[in-house]
Amino acid sequence: MEHKNHASFTSSLGFILTAAGSAVGVGNIWRFPYLAAKDGGGLFLLVYLGLVLTFGFTLLTTDIAIGRRTGQNAWHAFGSIRPRWGFLGKLTFLVPAIIMTYYAVIGGWILKYAVVYLCGQRTQAAQDGYFLEFITSSVSPIVFLLIFLAITAFVVYAGVEKGIEKFSKVVMPILLLMIVGTGIYALTLRHTDGSGVTRTGLQGLVVYLIPDFTGLTFSKFLSILLDAMGQLFFSLSVSMGIMITYGSYVKKDVSLEKSIAQVEFFDTGVALLAGMMIIPSIFVFSGTEGMTAGPSLMFQSLPKVFASMGAAGTLVGAAFFVMVLFAALTSCVSIMETLVSTVMQIFRADRKKVSLVIGILSAVAAVIVCMGYNVLYFEYTLPNGQTAQLLDVMDYISNNFLMPLIAFLTAIFVGWVIKPQWITEEMEVQGARFGKKRFYAVMVRWVVPVIMAILFFQSTGLLAKAAAFFAPAGTVI
């Protein structure tokens, strides 16, 4: 067996806040709201909550239990259980390595907007073309991503107890308070547009929460399901090795079932609050049309909302982007920690040296992805039909291709090779309770493999082609 990583969390709270810090990030505050807006508000929420309670629980339990029982990161964990399955650990390592290349770019964008609002430049940020001009410039976005990466590397450089755990214990409570406060404020908004129509934050909340089944087809439902599952992967940090790594730091006297439930609750709660904070705000000032901005919702639509608030918009905008910056840092720290921990075990190297090397390599890769919006700009049609640039391609490979594949293979490994009892034994170590063990066994053996296979084929476009081939002429799929 490989050398074990002896770093550990000092407390159950430290693990919960750190795992939640990994889970609560740009995925919750940037990705979740725009997907909810795109996929019918309440309908997306309904699908997502169902996935959290079933697939989220199963995948999170699997990753954390594997990590704690083996004491290894993902690279070594699978091979230490069954040598022939060591390839799965290597495949899992690719996900954070790919995500790191573009997460820092987005982190740089967030840092830029935080600085803009802290400097009182809310009207400039709200101008049409401001965001596009920034991301396509050749110097500014690179400078901000490098600063963001430097902060991330410093926290990881300091280690688990002095860096990651301490950082999470300070940042996460502040983050939660800021989200709750801003979300409540969003519900008090009221605006009358030029045509005399008055919209309120509470009306926007109804749009956000009530499912819209208009025009729903099987193909559209699969698309929403894929969006929600991709969000689940991104948000809970499952099927990318992060939770396996963090699981290896958890002491045996920590109740995993209780901790997993708390991480899920924290993560999902923040995502729901983020949606409540952003979507009603957009609705008040821009109506339902403003909710179609997609990934740029946070950088193009929200600044217009803040500008419409007058002088208060500067304070609200600064608080919002500083909050998102904290969230992005906690997640980016977890991604880099997974890479650093893995390389440390492979080469038996010192944390500080590895942190510096990974930081430099991540910076080089992030700069290349960042240049995808200027000197390296291109447009590529993905298998799912979406037009993409370099950042979108990296996101597609990690979220829509690798993660469903890894989740499928992990479910096969646990459900049919080592059997669910292997996980149950770790969940019940030192007399701990695992009340959902039967439900877990059914999910990991049957439900997860089937659904992940469907989603994998959906993301690659093969399912749509097959459906179109076999469907009778004139059928709406």
Side-chain angles (χ1 to χ4, degrees):
M1 183 176 290
E2 300 287 344
H3 173 67
K4 290 190 176 185
N5 193 324
H6 294 289
S8 64
F9 294 112
T10 59
S11 65
S12 174
L13 178 63
F15 164 65
I16 292 167
L17 289 177
T18 303
S22 172
V24 176
V26 171
N28 297 72
I29 302 173
W30 165 65
R31 211 169 187 268
F32 184 91
Y34 89 70
L35 287 176
K38 179 175 80 75
D39 291 333
L43 179 57
F44 178 84
L45 297 187
L46 200 62
V47 173
Y48 183 75
L49 288 175
L51 293 179
V52 168
L53 295 173
T54 53
F55 289 85
F57 161 77
T58 304
L59 297 173
L60 200 55
T61 297
T62 300
D63 280 4
I64 293 175
I66 287 176
R68 189 171 77 168
R69 180 157 181 175
T70 62
Q72 308 278 352
N73 55 45
W75 181 281
H76 292 116
F78 292 99
S80 69
I81 304 169
R82 292 288 189 279
R84 290 184 178 180
W85 282 81
F87 74 92
L88 186 52
K90 281 68 174 178
L91 192 64
T92 302
F93 179 77
L94 288 177
V95 177
I98 293 173
I99 290 177
M100 196 71 200
T101 64
Y102 67 85
Y103 205 102
V105 176
I106 300 171
W109 297 348
I110 296 168
L111 177 60
K112 162 70 174 180
Y113 273 74
V115 171
V116 165
Y117 278 92
L118 288 171
C119 293
Q121 301 173 350
R122 73 174 189 281
T123 54
Q124 293 91 320
Q127 293 175 358
D128 292 332
Y130 183 85
F131 177 65
L132 183 61
E133 182 180 351
F134 165 62
I135 66 172
T136 56
S137 60
S138 56
V139 177
S140 184
I142 293 177
V143 171
F144 280 100
L145 83 82
L146 291 177
I147 295 173
F148 179 84
L149 258 180
I151 298 171
T152 301
F154 176 77
V155 175
V156 176
Y157 179 91
V160 175
E161 295 173 15
K162 294 181 180 178
I164 299 168
E165 184 176 353
K166 184 177 291 186
F167 181 76
S168 297
K169 281 184 176 180
V170 173
V171 167
M172 294 312 297
I174 296 174
L175 175 62
L176 181 60
L177 288 174
M178 293 178 73
I179 290 175
V180 171
T182 311
I184 293 173
Y185 176 80
L187 299 182
T188 68
L189 295 174
R190 184 183 185 89
H191 176 70
T192 302
D193 62 20
S195 61
V197 176
T198 300
R199 290 182 292 266
T200 67
L202 289 175
Q203 290 174 333
L205 181 65
V206 171
V207 172
Y208 172 52
L209 294 179
I210 303 301
D212 180 10
F213 297 99
T214 305
L216 182 64
T217 63
F218 178 70
S219 178
K220 184 178 179 181
F221 177 76
L222 277 182
S223 178
I224 294 173
L225 185 64
L226 183 61
D227 281 346
M229 188 63 79
Q231 172 62 27
L232 182 76
F233 286 131
F234 201 97
S235 183
L236 289 179
S237 301
V238 292
S239 298
M240 60 175 76
I242 291 174
M243 289 304 175
I244 294 179
T245 298
Y246 279 172
S248 71
Y249 299 153
V250 179
K251 296 177 180 179
K252 292 291 186 180
D253 59 354
V254 173
S255 170
L256 289 188
E257 184 173 35
K258 182 179 179 181
S259 297
I260 288 167
Q262 290 170 333
V263 170
E264 281 191 302
F265 176 80
F266 200 112
D267 174 75
T268 306
V270 170
L272 293 175
L273 286 171
M276 186 181 79
M277 173 178 60
I278 293 176
I279 294 178
S281 300
I282 298 295
F283 176 81
V284 166
F285 293 98
S286 306
T288 53
E289 294 79 13
M291 294 165 57
T292 61
S296 64
L297 189 71
M298 188 170 76
F299 299 104
Q300 290 181 307
S301 298
L302 268 184
K304 295 183 184 298
V305 173
F306 297 143
S308 301
M309 295 178 184
T314 299
L315 180 61
V316 175
F320 174 79
F321 280 107
V322 168
M323 172 192 66
V324 179
L325 181 63
F326 281 162
L329 281 169
T330 57
S331 291
C332 199
V333 162
S334 69
I335 296 168
M336 184 176 284
E337 169 62 20
T338 298
L339 300 177
V340 168
S341 171
T342 300
V343 174
M344 282 171 60
Q345 288 196 25
I346 293 173
F347 296 102
R348 308 285 182 99
D350 175 72
R351 168 175 288 273
K352 294 182 177 181
K353 291 180 181 178
V354 173
S355 297
L356 288 173
V357 172
I358 294 296
I360 292 171
L361 292 177
S362 298
V364 172
V367 168
I368 292 173
V369 171
C370 187
M371 292 169 66
Y373 287 99
N374 39 70
V375 297
L376 298 180
Y377 181 84
F378 67 87
E379 290 187 357
Y380 175 75
T381 302
L382 297 171
N384 58 12
Q386 296 178 352
T387 301
Q389 288 78 48
L390 186 55
L391 186 148
D392 304 307
V393 171
M394 304 304 282
D395 181 60
Y396 171 81
I397 293 172
S398 60
N399 272 45
N400 294 70
F401 183 81
L402 281 176
M403 288 186 190
L405 177 61
I406 290 168
F408 170 78
L409 292 173
T410 302
I412 295 297
F413 176 68
V414 173
W416 299 97
V417 178
I418 63 174
K419 305 299 173 57
Q421 181 61 28
W422 192 94
I423 298 291
T424 299
E425 289 172 358
E426 182 59 29
M427 295 293 291
E428 295 179 333
V429 73
Q430 294 190 8
R433 182 177 178 272
F434 187 30
K436 297 181 180 178
K437 57 185 174 184
R438 291 183 180 177
F439 174 76
Y440 172 82
V442 172
M443 285 294 301
V444 80
R445 295 197 83 186
W446 302 103
V447 183
V448 174
V450 172
I451 299 300
M452 287 304 153
I454 293 173
L455 289 179
F456 178 77
F457 288 120
Q458 167 74 2
S459 68
T460 56
L462 295 175
L463 191 62
K465 292 179 181 178
F469 179 80
F470 289 107
T475 302
V476 178
I477 300 173

